[in-house]
Structure formats: C-alpha cells, structure tokens
C-alpha cells in the first residue's frame, strides 16, 4: 500500500496478484483482451483491499474529468431540488458525476460557482442563470468551458439552452382561471430581473386581453406577508383569481391569507408554476403549470455532452411544452387531476 496517501494503488494490486500494472488496469475495466476469470480474480482482490479508482489521475490522462457542474438558484425552492435529481439521473446513465453548486440567485455566489466549476475542471456546465448579470456567460466563454442554460435563458444570446415557452405557460395559467369563471385576475411575481418570469406575466396579460376582460393586475411582492397585503387590497377591487410565478410563492401566500381568514378557492383562486405536488406530499392542493423536468434534464445533458465531444453548429434553444394540472384551487373541477405521459 502507498505510504504517502494510504490509498490502494494499481501497483499494490499488481504486487498482490502477481500481474503487471497494465494487466490489472485492463482487468478492472473488463477489457476483452483479458480472460474473464482473470478479471474476476483481480476485481475480487481489489474489493478485498478497498481499491478505489483515482478518477482525477484518469481525467488527466484522458483530458476529461467525467464530471458535469450544475449551477442552480436557491435550493430552498423544491423546483431546483427536482432539477438536481433529474440531472444526476441523466448524468449517471452516461457514467458521469455531477458537481452541484448554488448561486442563491446573487451575483457574487454565481461568479464563485462558475469559478469553482472551472477550477475543478468540469467537462461542462449546466447553468440556471440568476440573470442579474451576464458575466457568468462571459466567464465560461473565456474559459472555453462548454455550457447549456437550463430553465432560464437570455433569448438574445447565441448560446445553448433548454427550457419552455414561458409566455405560453403564463397564457395557460390565466386561461385556466378564465375558464373557471374568473373575470378579474392578478399576477403575483418577484425576481423582475428573470426574463422567464416577466414572460409569464406577459402571457397572463395576453390571455386576459384575448378574453376581452379588464387588464390583469400585476403585483410585485418580496415575501408572503407583502403578497397577502397586496392581494387583500386587490380583492377589494374585484380580483377573484391569481396567477403566482411559482408554487412556492403561491403556497406561502395562501398560508398567510388563510391566517387572515381568506379561504381558497372560495374567496381567492390560485394557479402556480412548477407542479411541485407531483413529487411532494403537499397539504394544499394547487393548480399548477407543469413542464417535464426529466425530459429537460436529459436534453440538457445530451446537448452539453455533444458540445464536450466537439460537436459544432449554431446555438440550440430547445423548448418543451407545458400544461396545467388542475387540483381544484381554481374553484372549478375540485379534486380533478389531469393525466399525461409524464405524470
């Protein structure tokens, strides 16, 4: 055993088995030029001695680390947890590891995360950008690090991205409330610097206009208390339905409203985004706009690996369809849940 590190090395296995280092290395990888019984014997010794492959050394030889970096926003939001899970599953299917980093949606931590991904020599980066600045994109380009944007995009940037048509998603959410009979609709949102959220708001307003209804009422709120304050005022102006920019905001706001005696959906109907209830056992049934996160993750990993392998061509912007999952918080079809191929 190596005295310097305590790690069992290929030399240690060679000394124990009587084979050359090259034979041991090939046997551990089940190479066809090594007899199956020899592979099994060497692998049994490796397990007994606690041998762990040195992936960094292998990466130096191959010029790749076998690791992808995934940079997401605030992990308090379960949506990002679902994204991490599906990216890890897609990467694991390609025998790759994932380095997960959080930007917490602020510039300093996002720059730090990008720097870490480059320093750790990740093969490529999957980035859900905070969109407060475009500096992370420039940093990755300067480092010649392949990257794909996930869930959030800069439409005017010539870079690969995987997401959904956010304006169409907002349109679906507002139309769901309209079809449930609501005629005065509010749109609750935060993170005005995120292009996708603003597109959702625009989509909501478009649905209201096309229905010939009074303009939807935008409400920017930083927390549940201020959101509840604003919606209480808007309810006095006739608002009966609200589209929230994400499920987490919708649920926290509804909890605050319920503590003030507001009943959902009798007093106020709500539709969110992200369909968290599909993966979490939530106490409050919530209508929500859903997108297939698994399909997005698989597409993003596949696109990134193509760039890592040197595939060239114009930037690809892949958009996945969205749909509304109705759980009754719209005040129509209470308890009904739509079904689909990726439920």
């Amino acid at each position: 055993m190596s005295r310097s590190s305590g790690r069992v090395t290929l030399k240690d296995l060679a000394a124990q088995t009587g084979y050359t280092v090259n034979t041991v290395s090939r046997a551990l990888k089940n190479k066809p030029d090594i007899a199956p019984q020899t592979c099994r014997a060497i692998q049994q010794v490796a397990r007994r001695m606690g041998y762990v492959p040195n992936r960094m050394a292998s990466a130096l030889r191959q010029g790749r680390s076998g690791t992808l970096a995934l940079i997401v926003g605030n992990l308090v939001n379960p949506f990002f947890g679902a994204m991490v899970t599906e990216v890890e599953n897609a990467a694991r299917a390609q025998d790759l590891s994932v380095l997960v980093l959080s930007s917490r949606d602020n510039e300093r931590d996002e720059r730090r995360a990008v720097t870490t991904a480059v320093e750790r020599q990740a093969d490529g980066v999957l980035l859900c950008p905070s969109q407060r600045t475009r500096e992370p994109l420039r940093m990755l380009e300067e480092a010649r690090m392949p990257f794909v944007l996930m869930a959030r995009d800069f439409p005017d940037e010539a870079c690969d991205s995987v997401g959904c048509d956010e304006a169409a998603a907002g349109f679906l959410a507002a139309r769901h409330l309209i079809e449930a009979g609501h005629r005065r609709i509010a749109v609750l949102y935060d993170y005005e610097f995120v292009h996708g959220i603003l597109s959702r708001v625009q989509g909501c307003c478009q649905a209201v206009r096309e229905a010939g209804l009074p303009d939807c009422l935008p409400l920017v709120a930083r927390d549940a208390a201020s959101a509840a304050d604003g919606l209480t005022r808007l309810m006095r102006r006739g608002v009966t339905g609200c589209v929230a920019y994400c499920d987490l905001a919708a649920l926290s706001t509804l909890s605050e409203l319920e503590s003030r005696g507001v009943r959902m959906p009798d007093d106020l109907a709500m539709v969110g985004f992200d369909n968290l209830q599909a993966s979490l056992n939530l106490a409050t049934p919530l209508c929500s706009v859903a997108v297939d996160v698994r399909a997005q993750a698989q597409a993003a990993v596949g696109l990134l690996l193509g760039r890592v392998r040197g595939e060239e061509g114009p930037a690809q912007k892949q958009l996945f369809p969205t749909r509304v999952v109705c759980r009754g918080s719209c005040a129509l079809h209470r308890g009904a849940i739509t079904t689909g191929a990726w439920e």
Side-chain angles (χ1 to χ4, degrees), residues 177 182 240-243 263-271 329-331:
L177 288 174
H182 299 281
T240 61
C242 176
V243 175
R263 296 170 301 167
M264 190 275 296
D266 300 308
D267 299 323
L268 181 71
M270 185 78 79
V271 177
S329 66
C330 60

Side-chain angles (χ1 to χ4, degrees), residues 8 17 26 54-55 59 73 85 90 103 110 138 155 162 165 175 336:
V8 177
T17 61
R26 299 183 70 77
N54 188 335
R55 288 189 176 273
T85 297
S103 70
E110 188 172 27
R138 305 288 86 85
V162 172
D165 186 333
R175 190 177 67 182

Side-chain angles (χ1 to χ4, degrees), residues 171 174-175 178 202-215:
F171 186 95
R175 190 177 67 182
I178 293 168
Q202 292 167 1
C204 289
C205 294
Q206 180 183 352
V208 168
R209 285 195 300 271
E210 290 188 9
L213 299 176
D215 289 342

Side-chain angles (χ1 to χ4, degrees), residues 37-339:
Q37 61 269 28
T38 302
C39 290
R40 287 193 295 270
I42 292 174
Q43 289 168 10
Q44 185 177 11
V45 172
R47 284 194 296 270
R48 188 177 71 245
M49 295 180 66
Y51 172 74
V52 178
N54 188 335
R55 288 189 176 273
M56 289 303 296
S58 176
L60 289 173
R61 291 192 298 270
Q62 299 175 11
R64 292 184 188 168
S65 65
T67 299
L68 304 179
L70 171 61
I71 303 174
V72 297
N74 196 330
L75 285 169
V76 169
N77 189 335
F79 171 75
F80 290 122
M83 181 187 293
V84 169
T85 297
E86 296 302 343
V87 167
E88 286 183 329
N89 289 340
R92 190 176 296 117
Q94 301 293 329
D95 196 28
L96 298 169
S97 300
V98 178
L99 172 64
V100 179
L101 302 162
S102 173
S103 70
R104 299 188 236 189
D105 278 326
N106 70 64
E107 297 176 46
R108 184 186 64 181
D109 286 341
E110 188 172 27
R111 287 194 297 269
R112 183 177 298 163
V114 169
T115 299
T116 299
V118 173
E119 290 177 345
R120 297 288 182 89
Q121 299 182 357
D123 293 331
V125 173
L126 297 167
L127 171 64
C128 181
S130 72
Q131 299 204 307
R132 292 180 182 274
T133 173
R134 303 190 184 206
E135 185 181 356
L137 276 60
R138 305 288 86 85
M139 293 170 65
L140 290 167
E141 290 169 348
E142 290 172 6
R144 298 188 177 181
M145 175 76 71
F147 67 93
V148 173
L149 303 185
M150 282 193 71
R152 297 174 181 173
D153 186 26
F154 293 98
D156 58 341
E157 289 279 353
C159 58
D160 296 321
S161 66
V162 172
C164 67
D165 186 333
E166 301 285 9
F171 186 95
L172 287 177
R175 190 177 67 182
H176 188 66
L177 288 174
I178 293 168
E179 290 175 347
H182 299 281
R183 295 295 176 262
R184 201 72 171 111
I185 295 171
V187 184
L188 169 65
Y189 67 104
D190 191 0
Y191 295 93
E192 306 100 304
F193 48 85
V194 175
H195 177 271
I197 291 177
L198 295 179
S199 294
R200 291 177 186 180
V201 174
Q202 292 167 1
C204 289
C205 294
Q206 180 183 352
V208 168
R209 285 195 300 271
E210 290 188 9
L213 299 176
D215 289 342
C216 62
L217 298 173
L219 172 62
V220 179
R222 306 298 180 207
D223 52 50
S226 58
D229 289 341
L231 284 172
T232 300
R233 290 192 298 270
L234 293 179
M235 289 169 66
R236 297 192 191 106
R237 296 172 59 183
V239 166
T240 61
C242 176
V243 175
Y245 74 97
C246 72
D247 285 355
L248 194 62
L251 293 167
S252 61
T253 300
L254 286 172
S255 178
E256 178 67 24
L257 284 170
E258 286 174 1
S259 72
R260 304 180 185 190
V262 176
R263 296 170 301 167
M264 190 275 296
D266 300 308
D267 299 323
L268 181 71
M270 185 78 79
V271 177
F273 286 83
D274 301 336
N275 195 27
L276 296 183
Q277 200 146 12
S279 55
L280 299 176
N281 185 22
L282 301 176
T284 303
L286 181 68
C287 298
S288 185
V289 178
V291 66
D292 192 344
V293 179
R294 177 177 301 172
Q296 282 187 312
Q298 292 172 344
V301 169
L303 181 54
L304 181 59
L305 289 180
R307 299 306 190 191
V308 169
R309 293 166 184 151
E311 293 180 9
E312 298 181 353
Q316 297 186 35
K317 295 189 180 292
Q318 300 183 18
L319 296 179
F320 283 75
T322 56
R323 62 191 179 89
V324 176
V325 178
C326 179
R327 296 189 176 90
S329 66
C330 60
L332 182 67
H333 307 310
R334 298 187 190 185
I337 301 178
T338 63
T339 58

